[in-house]
Amino acid sequence: MPVHLTRIYTKTGDDGSTALVDGSRTPKDDPRLSAFGDCDEANSAIGVAIALGNLPDDVRELLARVQNDLFDVGADLATPVVENPRHEPLRILGSDVERLESAIDHYNAQLANLDSFVLPGGSTGAAFLHLARTIVRRAERHTWQAISRFGEVMNPLPARYLNRLSDLLFVLARYANSAAAGGAGDVRWKPAGSR
């Protein structure tokens, strides 16, 4: 379903409220807005990883699909669950979560077992993916806050999707640093290593 933007600013939010997909208005401090704002931020961070991270083509293709999914997550979060909606809402499905799980399994199978926590960093691509991962974790926390407050009118699957996405970004960051991808491997945490 195409979206047509004829005006970039509307001034309707100047009173501190914004419209949800169903046309209802809510204050801008609504946790649903924090959640889909975090999704937008994560999407931007993933865009930087794709553009500047020197990632393998298959990873960039996967991340481009994830970027599209994040818009779907935002649409889901911004659309209250109601009986008999006027229009079929865009919702995250269990199959979206399963697709991420398959990708996690695929890339994780190519990595050495973890023997320590890893530090965000290594290659440029891995560093960007770790940054995106932490933003996704924040989006997940805000989504759970929104579900706690508006549970009966929210689909819980966006929270599960975000949880799996943060795991996928972790695995992809490790993959970007792996010897299989031409990198030097994980940057390992050394407890009390700065003393």
Side-chain angles (χ1 to χ4, degrees):
M1 77 186 129
V3 175
H4 301 284
L5 299 175
T6 56
R7 289 177 50 196
I8 301 304
Y9 64 91
T10 63
K11 300 183 184 180
T12 58
D14 290 351
D15 65 354
S17 71
T18 196
L20 297 175
V21 173
D22 66 355
S24 64
R25 297 199 69 80
T26 190
K28 288 193 176 187
D29 63 357
D30 183 321
R32 292 173 292 188
L33 275 64
S34 295
F36 64 73
D38 292 339
C39 288
D40 187 32
E41 186 178 348
N43 208 335
S44 297
I46 290 169
V48 172
I50 292 169
L52 301 176
N54 197 28
L55 298 168
D57 289 343
D58 58 325
V59 172
R60 290 189 0 248
E61 288 172 20
L62 173 60
L63 291 172
R65 185 166 185 182
V66 164
Q67 284 191 295
N68 196 76
D69 286 352
L70 281 170
F71 268 91
D72 295 349
V73 170
D76 193 330
L77 293 169
T79 307
V81 173
V82 296
E83 273 190 52
N84 306 313
R86 278 189 334 183
H87 306 286
E88 186 66 30
L90 181 56
R91 296 283 180 217
I92 292 298
L93 307 173
S95 58
D96 298 318
V97 177
E98 291 166 5
R99 186 170 18 87
L100 292 185
E101 291 170 349
S102 293
I104 292 166
D105 293 342
H106 170 75
Y107 286 98
N108 197 49
Q110 301 175 56
L111 299 172
N113 290 335
L114 277 173
D115 58 6
S116 175
F117 288 106
V118 297
L119 299 177
S123 68
T124 302
F128 285 136
L129 291 170
H130 277 296
L131 178 61
R133 173 185 59 80
T134 63
I135 298 168
V136 169
R137 283 285 189 207
R138 182 175 3 110
E140 181 193 358
R141 290 191 302 272
H142 282 142
T143 298
W144 281 115
Q145 286 176 349
I147 289 170
S148 177
R149 183 167 163 195
F150 300 103
E152 67 282 352
V153 297
M154 292 192 68
N155 175 14
L157 285 174
R160 286 180 39 201
Y161 180 92
L162 293 168
N163 181 275
R164 297 312 184 283
L165 178 55
S166 64
D167 292 338
L168 175 61
L169 293 170
F170 175 77
V171 168
L172 292 178
R174 291 193 67 219
Y175 182 78
N177 278 339
S178 72
D186 294 319
V187 181
R188 289 173 172 80
W189 173 51
K190 297 173 187 152
S194 60
R195 292 185 197 152

